[in-house]
Amino acid sequence: MNTERLHRQIEFILEIDKLKSILRRSYLINDPRLENSAEHSWHLAVMAMLLAEHANTEVNLLQVLKMLLVHDVVEIDAGDTFCYDVAGNDTKAAREILAARRLFGLLPDDQRQEMHGLWEEFEARQTPEARFAAALDRLMPLLHNYHTQGRSWREHGVTQMQVLERNAHMDEGSETLWAYIEAMIEEASAKGYLAEESKNE
Amino acid sequence: MNTERLHRQIEFILEIDKLKSILRRSYLINDPRLENSAEHSWHLAVMAMLLAEHANTEVNLLQVLKMLLVHDVVEIDAGDTFCYDVAGNDTKAAREILAARRLFGLLPDDQRQEMHGLWEEFEARQTPEARFAAALDRLMPLLHNYHTQGRSWREHGVTQMQVLERNAHMDEGSETLWAYIEAMIEEASAKGYLAEESKNE
């Protein structure tokens, strides 16, 4: 056995325990606390298993799962960036590139490359697998918001227009899921979960 | 699109949000709180990606990931059973069978069968994939305990003998990982993280 290799793998495994302390802006449905990025990643992976049949084109499920499992690891250093935070999203890429270098750099070289490649594929949203994975990454916070009476949307004054604009790329991964969500956003708006559009904007 | 099918899938996805509120006995390494079963499942899945090369025989990684992602879902109804809790382990199977029936029963029939099958395969520990998945399920709490100075072991008065007995089946999945852990348990004992054996037993 290559002891040095195993030690590097375990070091990375211990380091990513920190993802369990990175809080997102979504509230859990049955527990009044914010979701963390590790449990979020688990949820998306189970969703991929169950919803893969709704992807626009057939996807390699193993590749989707691998991407979803590592897509948020960079947040350990870079933090979670709220998708409606314009300023935060301007600096997100630079912060995450440094994070990926350090975190995946803990691993043996071949695995560093594989993990880095998965993260880049997810971010680039060019392959069918990445597009579907990204659609799931948008689907869950929308479900969380709808099923907590728009709690996070209300706290941040998010409007229907913002939700539609930020999430429209879901249809690149799954037109079926996007149609489901579009109807849900309409309902959310009718129920008053989303802020009114400002007339000055 | 089959709307009824999608609704059942989404219903299950919403229901399993509750796994994020099921607490285990392991403490996080960098955060003084107990781990929940959803983030635990994520951690195991990433570990499978990185450590599959240490399985005793070649494993189908997709099958390992699927099992790990759903192996704890039954805890939503049945609760987490501490592996050193003898009485709890006597009733665990019965509680979990009922839980599996209700929870996986939310899904469309074909997916109910698949999820149920994955859970049964994991529990039976007969396939190479299930043995390797079970080894990872033992590995992480041992790492958590060692890297929190045996916090959970101390709280429950767990002895070195109990740890060795409860975890020895790891070698069915990965002799390499078991050898790593045996050495770690020795060190943990030398450092006083584990209780002394009672002389009356």
Side-chain angles (χ1 to χ4, degrees), chain B residues 155-191:
Chain B
E155 283 184 4
H156 299 93
V158 175
T159 67
Q160 181 175 6
M161 187 67 78
Q162 284 180 295
V163 174
L164 289 169
E165 281 178 2
R166 264 289 166 188
N167 296 287
H169 70 70
M170 267 184 73
D171 77 347
E172 295 171 9
S174 171
E175 288 175 10
T176 302
L177 296 177
W178 177 237
Y180 177 87
I181 284 299
E182 267 189 310
M184 208 185 70
I185 295 170
E186 276 300 323
E187 275 186 58
S189 185
K191 288 180 173 174

Side-chain angles (χ1 to χ4, degrees), chain A:
Chain A
M1 181 191 38
N2 181 338
T3 310
E4 164 67 12
R5 182 171 171 84
L6 179 55
H7 281 153
R8 294 191 71 161
Q9 292 167 331
I10 298 281
E11 197 187 344
F12 178 81
I13 286 164
L14 296 173
E15 180 69 14
I16 63 171
D17 207 48
K18 293 176 182 165
L19 194 60
K20 301 167 189 171
S21 305
I22 302 294
L23 296 184
R24 297 165 42 79
R25 309 294 169 107
S26 300
Y27 288 95
L28 300 188
I29 301 171
N30 306 286
D31 198 341
R33 67 164 174 88
L34 291 171
E35 186 185 39
N36 71 60
S37 292
E39 60 198 5
H40 162 71
S41 300
W42 163 77
H43 212 161
L44 298 191
V46 179
M47 289 165 74
M49 285 171 62
L50 296 169
L51 303 179
E53 67 194 47
H54 304 300
N56 288 344
T57 52
E58 202 171 323
V59 289
N60 176 330
L61 180 58
L62 179 59
Q63 188 71 3
V64 174
L65 291 178
K66 285 177 166 183
M67 267 189 276
L68 289 172
L69 290 167
V70 303
H71 82 291
D72 271 347
V73 163
V74 294
E75 294 182 359
I76 289 170
D77 285 359
D80 177 58
T81 307
F82 190 41
C83 75
Y84 305 103
D85 169 6
V86 177
N89 277 282
D90 281 348
T91 63
K92 180 174 181 270
R95 282 180 286 122
E96 293 192 346
I97 286 168
L98 287 175
R101 201 172 298 161
R102 183 187 79 79
L103 289 157
F104 299 135
L106 297 171
L107 286 166
D109 239 34
D110 58 319
Q111 295 192 320
R112 173 184 63 71
Q113 283 178 33
E114 189 194 353
M115 295 292 128
H116 209 286
L118 288 167
W119 173 68
E120 286 182 324
E121 181 180 343
F122 177 83
E123 289 291 319
R125 236 163 53 208
Q126 294 301 310
T127 61
E129 284 76 16
R131 286 178 172 165
F132 181 62
L136 298 178
D137 193 34
R138 298 311 320 137
L139 174 60
M140 197 60 226
L142 295 166
L143 290 175
H144 268 140
N145 251 308
Y146 184 80
H147 290 278
T148 55
Q149 293 75 50
R151 183 165 172 192
S152 179
W153 286 331
R154 286 173 197 246
E155 283 183 5
H156 300 93
V158 175
T159 67
Q160 180 174 8
M161 187 68 78
Q162 283 179 296
V163 174
L164 288 169
E165 281 178 3
R166 265 288 166 189
N167 296 289
H169 69 71
M170 269 184 72
D171 77 346
E172 295 171 8
S174 171
E175 288 175 11
T176 302
L177 296 177
W178 177 237
Y180 177 88
I181 284 298
E182 267 190 310
M184 209 186 69
I185 295 170
E186 277 299 325
E187 275 186 57
S189 186
K191 288 178 174 177
Y193 298 169
L194 287 156
E196 296 286 321
E197 306 299 327
S198 158
K199 294 203 172 105
N200 299 322
E201 280 180 354

